[in-house]
């Protein structure tokens, strides 16, 4: 008997359940509620994305969720009939088992609309078919599945920060800036783990902004579906995909249940200080470079682990700064002038400004060691080194040309975690020169990431791309489907 075959006795048969679907063509009737649908796109490096079709998320009367696909050549025929939440029947389809990455459903087979398919809308609602079903995972689960490109699960937690703003500041998120609107970064506290960075991209970011701003009271709880666990600068983060949806507070049962849990556990909302959450992410040099290319000019802070390779000679390693604001002073006729404070008789202090060549596992660039970072690297203030040089060589330190201190030469070969400050200048400069304002700690370069092996045995690869969080990495939906 053929697979997925309808009842041949002439009697009306019950719809085939998703768990009974077998690979290959089928002429049975499937009945399901359409939970969600989205565009499947393939990312082309250096060019525009290629639209491949429509992907669907469906649930049957047994509560099993399956993924569906409508190829580009049939998109116009079916897309206008699709409506989230409606019940449909589908007869004649092709069940493909070639999807190897980024599963969004329990059923591993992808149910594809074929040339012979009949998709019909059921006008009456069927209460027996659930309106939603989520696959919520814990922090430990995401940690275990990080960077595996496997199943995409859902996350629920309570908000700590939204784009760097504590909730008590009631931030307004809608923006007309196209570049800024591509991403929202939230700091999310989970029940079972630390605060985690969640990056919402494109449609997920826009939906979150609209819902957040429309709430009468500032939302507390969020559920994001089908997130991709990735490690960014050694830290676990979650990134939305094009299949992701966002739910707040009272929208769905899991967020309602989480709100109830927060009411019973009020200490959970204060277990993490929002001020402590705003810590610089650790990025590689290439990730910082990608951030500069992708983001609008802004002030931002990152940590970067790098090894000092060399120190630039032949330039001054310090500058004369305003004691109050650390701005470089201008020399007036008889006094030093601070352009920032407006003080015409500013008190001067020597501040570090040392250019160093550094590298990590991927890239090389110049770090400008500024202010306190120099003191943390050498253990001494710039003024002390100048005074020592003056004592050893005779004369006034202000009049001498002080050569580069040996302590900077001794730092060559050391690996440190640097605090990097991005300024609008970095986004316009053609040279990758980054300002280090702090030495966070001694460090070691993380192990190099092994190359990812592309699974074999796929005929058609459908990549549905949603650019990921900081640093030029990308969150890519990849599946192989037979149209």
């Amino acid at each position: 008997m053929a697979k997925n075959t309808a009842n041949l006795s002439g009697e009306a048969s019950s719809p085939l359940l998703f768990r009974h679907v077998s690979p290959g063509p089928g002429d049975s009737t499937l009945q399901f509620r359409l939970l969600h649908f989205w565009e499947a796109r393939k990312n082309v490096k250096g060019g525009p994305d290629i639209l491949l079709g429509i992907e669907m998320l469906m649930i049957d009367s047994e509560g099993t969720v399956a993924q569906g696909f409508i190829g580009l050549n049939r998109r116009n025929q079916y897309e206008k009939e699709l409506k989230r939440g409606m019940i449909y029947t589908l007869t004649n389809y092709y069940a493909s088992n070639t999807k190897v990455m980024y599963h969004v459903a329990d059923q591993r087979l992808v149910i594809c609309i074929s040339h012979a398919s009949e998709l019909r809308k059921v006008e009456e609602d069927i209460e027996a078919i659930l309106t939603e079903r989520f696959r919520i995972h814990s922090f430990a689960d995401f940690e275990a599945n990080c960077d595996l490109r496997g199943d995409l699960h859902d996350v629920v937690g309570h908000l700590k920060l939204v784009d760097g703003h504590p909730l008590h500041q009631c931030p307004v998120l809608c923006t007309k800036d196209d570049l800024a609107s591509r991403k929202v970064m939230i700091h999310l506290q989970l029940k079972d783990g630390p605060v985690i960075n969640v990056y919402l991209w494109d449609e997920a970011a826009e939906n979150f902004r609209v819902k957040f701003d429309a709430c009468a009271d500032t939302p507390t709880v969020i559920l994001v579906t089908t997130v991709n666990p990735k490690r960014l600068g050694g830290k676990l983060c979650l990134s939305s995909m094009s299949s992701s949806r966002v739910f707040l507070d009272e929208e769905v049962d899991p967020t309602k249940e989480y709100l109830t849990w927060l009411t019973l556990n009020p200490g959970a909302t204060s277990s993490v200080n929002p001020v402590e959450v705003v810590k610089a992410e650790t990025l590689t040099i290439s990730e910082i470079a990608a951030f500069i290319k992708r983001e609008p000019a802004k002030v931002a802070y990152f940590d970067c682990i790098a090894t000092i390779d060399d120190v630039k000679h032949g330039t001054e390693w310090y500058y004369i700064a305003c004691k109050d604001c650390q701005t470089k002073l201008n020399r007036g006729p008889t006094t030093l002038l601070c352009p920032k404070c407006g003080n015409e008789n500013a008190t001067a202090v020597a501040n570090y400004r040392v250019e160093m060549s550094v590298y990590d596992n991927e890239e090389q660039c110049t770090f400008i060691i500024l202010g306190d970072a120099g003191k943390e690297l050498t253990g001494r203030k710039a003024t002390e080194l100048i005074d020592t040089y003056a004592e050893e060589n005779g004369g006034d330190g202000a009049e001498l040309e002080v050569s580069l201190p040996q302590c900077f030469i001794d730092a060559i070969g050391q690996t440190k975690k640097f605090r990097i400050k991005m300024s609008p200048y970095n986004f316009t400069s053609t040279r990758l020169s980054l300002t280090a304002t702090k030495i966070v700690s001694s460090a070691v370069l993380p192990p190099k990431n092994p190359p990812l092996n592309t699974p074999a045995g796929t005929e058609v690869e459908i990549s549905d791309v949603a650019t990921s969080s900081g640093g030029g990495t990308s969150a890519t939906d990849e599946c192989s489907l037979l149209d």
Side-chain angles (χ1 to χ4, degrees):
M1 186 173 178
K3 296 179 180 178
N4 299 336
T5 303
N7 190 330
L8 301 179
S9 65
E11 299 177 4
S13 60
S14 299
L16 189 70
L17 296 170
F18 286 153
R19 65 184 174 90
H20 292 149
V21 173
S22 303
D27 58 6
S28 299
T29 296
L30 306 175
Q31 187 177 69
F32 57 87
R33 188 186 300 276
L34 180 63
L35 299 179
H36 185 43
F37 64 93
W38 62 95
E39 292 183 342
R41 291 184 175 273
K42 181 177 182 179
N43 179 254
V44 179
K45 188 174 183 179
D49 293 349
I50 298 175
L51 178 63
L52 299 172
I54 301 294
E55 295 191 84
M56 303 179 291
L57 193 65
M58 312 172 294
I59 187 169
D60 66 11
S61 60
E62 200 174 50
T64 301
V65 177
Q67 186 171 345
F69 179 73
I70 301 173
L72 183 61
N73 57 335
R74 300 188 180 96
R75 177 194 178 196
N76 292 337
Q77 178 183 353
Y78 289 102
E79 186 178 22
K80 61 181 179 294
E81 301 295 329
L82 301 181
K83 184 177 180 181
R84 294 175 179 87
M86 292 296 295
I87 305 293
Y88 293 86
T89 59
L90 174 63
T91 306
N92 299 323
Y93 53 84
Y94 189 95
S96 170
N97 62 0
T98 57
K99 182 175 175 65
V100 294
M101 288 184 263
Y102 298 126
H103 293 282
V104 299
D106 300 324
Q107 167 60 277
R108 286 302 191 251
L109 295 174
V110 177
I111 298 171
C112 304
I113 300 289
S114 69
H115 69 280
S117 294
E118 294 182 24
L119 182 68
R120 298 179 183 274
K121 186 184 297 183
V122 178
E123 296 301 331
E124 294 184 4
D125 190 29
I126 301 175
E127 293 185 1
I129 301 181
L130 298 174
T131 56
E132 286 292 355
R133 182 163 179 259
F134 300 103
R135 305 195 303 164
I136 296 172
H137 269 212
S138 66
F139 177 86
D141 294 328
F142 288 121
E143 185 78 56
N145 291 283
C146 185
D147 290 321
L148 296 183
R149 298 188 179 187
D151 278 30
L152 301 176
H153 291 101
D154 311 331
V155 63
V156 63
H158 58 280
L159 296 164
K160 285 294 180 182
L161 298 174
V162 179
D163 274 344
H165 300 287
L167 296 187
H168 66 78
Q169 293 182 359
C170 302
V172 177
L173 303 179
C174 284
T175 175
K176 294 181 180 180
D177 187 333
D178 290 338
L179 288 173
S181 65
R182 287 207 60 215
K183 183 188 76 172
V184 172
M185 186 180 79
I186 61 177
H187 289 78
L188 191 66
Q189 174 71 64
L190 308 188
K191 281 184 182 180
D192 67 327
V195 174
I196 189 169
N197 290 0
V198 180
Y199 295 89
L200 304 178
W201 293 91
D202 299 320
E203 188 172 349
E206 181 61 21
N207 289 342
F208 172 75
R209 281 192 174 98
V210 171
K211 288 185 175 184
F212 189 94
D213 288 344
C215 291
D217 298 316
T218 302
T220 304
V221 175
I222 184 173
L223 186 154
V224 186
T225 68
T226 62
V227 291
N228 183 24
K230 299 179 68 66
R231 201 167 299 282
L232 182 61
K235 179 182 178 181
L236 175 68
C237 66
L238 303 177
S239 182
S240 73
M241 306 290 273
S242 54
S243 56
S244 296
R245 294 176 292 158
V246 175
F247 301 95
L248 302 177
D249 283 0
E250 299 283 351
E251 282 196 81
V252 289
D253 287 342
T255 53
K256 292 177 183 177
E257 292 167 3
Y258 199 104
L259 277 174
T260 301
W261 178 82
L262 282 180
T263 302
L264 299 174
N265 298 271
T269 57
S270 58
S271 60
V272 176
N273 184 348
V275 175
E276 296 176 356
V277 173
V278 191
K279 295 179 180 177
E281 294 180 72
T282 302
L283 303 184
T284 64
I285 295 172
S286 60
E287 286 172 339
I288 293 175
F291 176 88
I292 292 171
K293 292 179 180 179
R294 187 183 65 247
E295 296 291 329
K298 66 177 78 173
V299 175
Y301 293 88
F302 298 110
D303 286 349
C304 183
I305 297 174
T307 300
I308 300 169
D309 182 54
D310 201 0
V311 183
K312 186 174 182 180
H313 293 260
T315 59
E316 289 190 349
W317 54 271
Y318 66 94
Y319 68 98
I320 303 303
C322 173
K323 184 179 181 181
D324 296 327
C325 68
Q326 310 305 312
T327 302
K328 184 176 181 180
L329 294 176
N330 297 328
R331 189 176 295 277
T334 58
T335 61
L336 295 172
L337 311 176
C338 179
K340 185 174 182 179
C341 298
N343 191 342
E344 297 181 357
N345 192 20
T347 302
V349 63
N351 254 359
Y352 286 110
R353 189 194 182 280
V354 182
E355 292 190 31
M356 290 185 161
S357 174
V358 302
Y359 64 89
D360 61 11
N361 286 329
E362 301 173 351
E363 192 59 85
Q364 220 175 6
C365 78
T366 297
F367 279 4
I368 298 174
I369 308 301
L370 205 62
D372 289 343
K375 178 185 175 184
E376 291 156 354
L377 185 63
T378 64
R380 301 181 68 183
K381 294 180 179 179
T383 303
E384 295 175 12
L385 293 176
I386 294 170
D387 290 344
T388 299
Y389 185 89
E391 290 174 7
E392 294 174 352
N393 294 275
D396 185 353
E399 303 297 331
L400 291 173
E401 184 176 328
V402 184
S403 60
L404 183 72
Q406 181 64 34
C407 53
F408 283 104
I409 308 300
D410 295 340
I412 292 175
Q414 295 180 18
T415 301
K416 304 287 185 181
K417 178 182 280 191
F418 297 86
R419 176 68 44 80
I420 303 300
K421 179 182 179 181
M422 310 292 298
S423 67
Y425 162 80
N426 295 112
F427 294 84
T428 58
S429 175
T430 57
R431 177 190 177 209
L432 185 58
S433 178
L434 304 174
T435 300
T437 60
K438 180 179 178 63
I439 306 296
V440 180
S441 63
S442 296
V444 293
L445 290 176
K448 293 183 179 181
N449 292 325
L452 290 169
N453 296 320
T454 303
T458 59
E459 294 185 25
V460 183
E461 184 181 74
I462 294 180
S463 300
D464 186 12
V465 173
T467 304
S468 176
S469 61
T473 54
S474 63
T476 309
D477 302 348
E478 295 180 4
C479 60
S480 300
L481 298 172
L482 201 60
D483 186 12

